[in-house]
Every structure is written in C-alpha cells, then in structure tokens.
C-alpha cells in the first residue's frame, strides 16, 4: 500500500469504460453492465450481476444466486473465491472481503505495484444474520455507493421496525400483514428478523420470493416454516404475515388477502411521501445499504485519501469527505440502482 511517491495513481490503472469500471493491468471489469470477457461480480443483484460474461469471478454464494437467477446464461466459466483468498489476475492481486449487503456480497480489493483500491459494491454496516459482516480494508482509493448519502437518511434499528410489524399483527389479528420486500436479500433478512423476534409460525411467500429463499437455505441460512401464499386459503391468511415483491402489493395478486395491512420494508420508507404515494399503511425502514453515518464512518475507517462514488447522492458525500481532507470523485456510473428503487 500507499507509498504515494512511487505507487501508480489509481486513476491510471482503474478506468471508466462504457461497460463499467475496468482494471487495466488485471484485464477485468467489476460489475460490468454489459457482457464482457472477464468480470468480477460483487453480488447477485441484477444491476451488478448481468448475464452473458465469458468468465465470472465471485464469492461462492454469489455464483449460486446468479446461477439460480440466470440459469445457463450466467457465464461460460466461473471461479469462486473465499474471503481473503488472493489470486493474481494479470499484474494485479485480487481478493474479496464481505460487504454485509446480501448473502455473498463482496468488496473487491486490488493491489497493483503498491497501489491498493477497494470497490465496495453495495454495502451496509448494520448486523444482518443472513450474511457475513462488512470488513474494512485500508486502501489508497475507496470506491463507494451513495444510495442513502444524505444526512436525512439515518436508518433506525431493524429490530424496532420488526417490533412495529408484530405490534400491528397483534392489534389486527383478523387482517393479513402484507410486506413488500425484494426477492434477494431483503426477503430473507425480514424473515430472519421475524425469527429473531420470536415469530416462529409460518411465513407465507409470493411465488417470486421462493427460489432465492431456497438458495439461502441450501447455503445454510435457516429460514424456518415458509409456505407459498398462493395455495393458502383466505381464512388461513387472516392474521398471517405474507411477503411479496414490492410491485405485487398493489396489484390483483393482493386482492385474495384478508383486508391486508400493506407494509414495505425499504430504506426509502424513511421518505414519508414515498410511502404515502405507494399506499403503504405501515412503512418499515429496513435498508440493505449504509446510511449517512455508516457511509462517512466507513470512509474514515478505510483511511483512503481518495474516495470515488459510483452512484447515488454523490454531491453530499463528496462534500462531507472534503471537509475531512479526503478527495472525492463522482464516477456517475450508469445502470446501477437499488432493487428497492426499481419497484
Ligand atoms: Zn445490491
Ligand atoms: Zn446496487
């Protein structure tokens, strides 16, 4: 790391190309948005993991989740890396460290001629029983997302949000609680949080959420009694908790449910207007992204003199880093968005 007198400046070996972030001496892209020869993939969300690459390097859970989502089109060849296991790609040493975002989510650490860059993908710092926690890696340039990079975003404790849900279930025992959560990561986290809060009865799932839960379970994340909501009788769903993709909560599918209390689990539920416009009766502020404090604390912890921001609210984050003497650069990468935001 970091002899700034001799180590190459990161901008000379990490480039922004139309396909995404490219490591020149390593000959690979990180989370390219188009099919490429060689991709290192941080995690299996659809904006980071695209189909059709020739070779994919990722964590083992990420490969399993990608394969379940994409089937045969996922790649031609793949290689799994364990946490901290270093390999050589071209002239670059590459290893993965957990990012704490969803199961398998990784930061990509790269070292080239004494210059170290870390691409964190999407990440969070709050404990999550469904994935390994974020490991800070000191570096010369830290590449970060900025999804919730505004001081207004301070995520509450997830256990408190789940307590609100269970209080509402107790208050309205005849109604179905319908919780919108995206399929990969949020769903399994909400289930795990419910289990941790003592809800050990069945949890009903929209069909679109079942495949990712099956992969989580096959990788050792126990989720308890899950049942397909589609085959359950209406009476059975009174007083039940049903999880569905956010875009299903307002459509015909939800009409089968007993007078549903519509909930959405998302960092965006911090924005009251957004909850209201989507007809959400019970917003649950549960995010898989770092909030304002976590972003800034992480930037300080990795002690990089320079931070590159991939996407999100980059101005506020770059400004805040600047006041602490850290250089910021907005990459304005296109094609990335939160799966929450898509809905
Ligand atoms: Zn993601
Ligand atoms: Zn993302």
């Amino acid at each position: 790391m970091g002899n700034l007198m001799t180590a190459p400046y990161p901008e000379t070996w990490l480039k922004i190309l139309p396909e995404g972030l490219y490591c020149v001496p390593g000959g690979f892209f990180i989370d390219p948005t188009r099919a490429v020869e060689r991709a290192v993939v941080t995690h299996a969300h659809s904006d980071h993991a695209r189909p059709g690459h020739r070779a994919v390097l990722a964590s083992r859970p990420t490969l399993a989740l990608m394969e379940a989502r994409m089937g045969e089109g996922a790649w031609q060849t793949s290689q799994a890396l364990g946490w901290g296991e270093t390999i050589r790609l071209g002239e670059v040493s590459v290893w993965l460290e957990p990012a704490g975002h969803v199961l398998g989510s990784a930061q990509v650490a790269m070292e080239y001629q004494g210059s170290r860059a870390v691409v964190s993908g999407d990440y969070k710092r709050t404990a999550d029983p469904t994935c390994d926690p974020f490991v800070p890696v000191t570096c010369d340039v830290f590449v970060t997302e900025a999804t919730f990079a505004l001081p207004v975003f301070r995520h509450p404790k997830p256990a408190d949000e789940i307590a609100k849900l269970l209080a509402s279930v107790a208050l309205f025992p005849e109604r179905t609680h319908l919780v919108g959560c995206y399929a990969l990561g949020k769903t399994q986290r909400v289930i795990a949080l419910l289990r941790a809060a003592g809800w050990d009865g069945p949890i009903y799932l929209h069909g679109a959420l079942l495949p990712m839960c099956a992969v989580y379970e096959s990788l050792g994340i126990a989720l308890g009694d899950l049942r397909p909501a589609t085959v359950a009788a209406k009476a059975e769903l009174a007083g039940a908790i049903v999880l569905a993709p956010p875009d299903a909560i307002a459509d015909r599918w939800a009409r089968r449910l007993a007078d549903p209390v519509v909930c959405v689990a998302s960092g965006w539920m911090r924005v009251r207007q957004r909850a209201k416009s989507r007809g959400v009766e019970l917003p649950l502020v549960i995010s898989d992204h770092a909030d304002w404090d976590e972003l800034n604390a992480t930037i300080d912890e990795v002690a990089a003199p320079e931070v590159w921001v991939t996407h999100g609210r980059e101005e506020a984050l770059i400004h805040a880093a600047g006041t602490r003497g850290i250089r910021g650069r907005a990459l304005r990468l296109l094609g990335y968005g939160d799966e929450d935001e898509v809905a």
Side-chain angles (χ1 to χ4, degrees):
M1 262 249 307
N3 183 344
L4 293 175
M5 301 306 289
T6 55
Y9 185 69
E11 216 167 89
T12 63
W13 60 277
L14 268 181
K15 301 267 187 192
I16 311 299
L17 298 186
E19 298 92 333
L21 199 56
Y22 183 63
C23 176
V24 180
F28 60 89
F29 287 89
I30 299 166
D31 291 352
T33 54
R34 306 176 191 174
V36 299
E37 273 290 296
R38 191 173 277 278
V40 178
V41 174
T42 60
H43 66 290
H45 277 153
S46 54
D47 53 331
H48 298 259
R50 313 268 177 163
H53 306 310
R54 191 185 58 77
V56 172
L57 182 77
S59 73
R60 197 172 307 282
T62 292
L63 292 177
L65 291 161
M66 284 176 73
E67 201 164 16
R69 289 197 133 177
M70 301 170 190
E72 302 242 304
W75 54 66
Q76 286 179 39
T77 65
S78 68
Q79 184 179 352
L81 268 193
W83 301 135
E85 185 187 335
T86 303
I87 60 155
R88 194 90 179 154
L89 290 177
E91 302 165 61
V92 181
S93 294
V94 181
W95 70 101
L96 305 178
E97 297 287 356
H101 172 58
V102 298
L103 182 60
S105 64
Q107 307 172 71
V108 182
M110 292 159 282
E111 209 163 277
Y112 171 62
Q113 294 183 354
S115 171
R116 187 189 289 175
V118 172
V119 177
S120 53
D122 293 339
Y123 66 99
K124 71 172 177 293
R125 305 301 302 271
T126 308
D128 177 346
T130 65
C131 63
D132 292 322
F134 182 97
V135 172
V137 180
T138 55
C139 51
D140 299 302
V141 62
F142 184 63
V143 182
T144 180
E145 55 141 323
T147 305
F148 290 111
L150 288 176
V152 66
F153 291 113
R154 290 193 161 91
H155 303 324
K157 287 198 180 79
D160 292 348
E161 299 300 290
I162 291 296
K164 279 186 211 165
L165 171 60
L166 291 177
S168 179
V169 171
L171 193 61
F172 303 110
E174 72 293 347
R175 297 178 70 184
T176 300
H177 282 70
L178 175 61
V179 185
C181 37
Y182 65 73
L184 167 52
K186 188 64 60 66
T187 293
Q188 297 76 24
R189 187 171 176 216
V190 166
I191 293 168
L193 286 165
L194 280 165
R195 298 310 185 199
W199 182 270
D200 46 18
I203 294 172
Y204 295 86
L205 301 181
H206 183 285
L209 304 184
L210 291 165
M212 290 297 105
C213 289
V215 180
Y216 268 63
E217 295 228 84
S218 75
L219 294 168
I221 310 293
L223 300 174
D225 184 358
L226 305 179
R227 299 183 191 179
T230 331
V231 297
K234 193 166 180 166
E236 190 184 341
L237 294 179
I241 297 173
V242 176
L243 309 188
D247 55 7
I249 59 174
D251 70 18
R252 282 179 62 87
W253 184 87
R255 286 186 214 155
R256 83 184 65 236
L257 303 170
D259 186 19
V261 177
V262 173
C263 321
V264 166
S266 164
W268 297 110
M269 290 298 103
R270 180 69 182 73
V271 185
R272 292 284 148 183
Q273 204 45 47
R274 209 183 273 229
K276 223 173 154 186
S277 71
R278 285 168 61 176
V280 177
E281 193 173 334
L282 181 59
L284 302 171
V285 185
I286 299 175
S287 173
D288 290 327
H289 294 268
D291 69 4
W292 176 249
D293 292 331
E294 291 178 25
L295 288 166
N296 283 289
T298 303
I299 287 171
D300 290 342
E301 214 172 339
V302 300
E306 183 154 339
V307 168
W308 296 358
V309 183
T310 54
H311 65 290
R313 279 103 195 116
E314 48 267 78
E315 284 81 8
L317 192 59
I318 286 170
H319 177 79
T323 63
R324 308 197 296 276
I326 300 161
R327 283 190 306 275
R329 176 182 172 210
L331 302 184
R332 299 185 209 291
L333 295 185
L334 300 177
Y336 299 102
D338 186 8
E339 297 214 334
D340 280 357
E341 208 170 8
V342 174

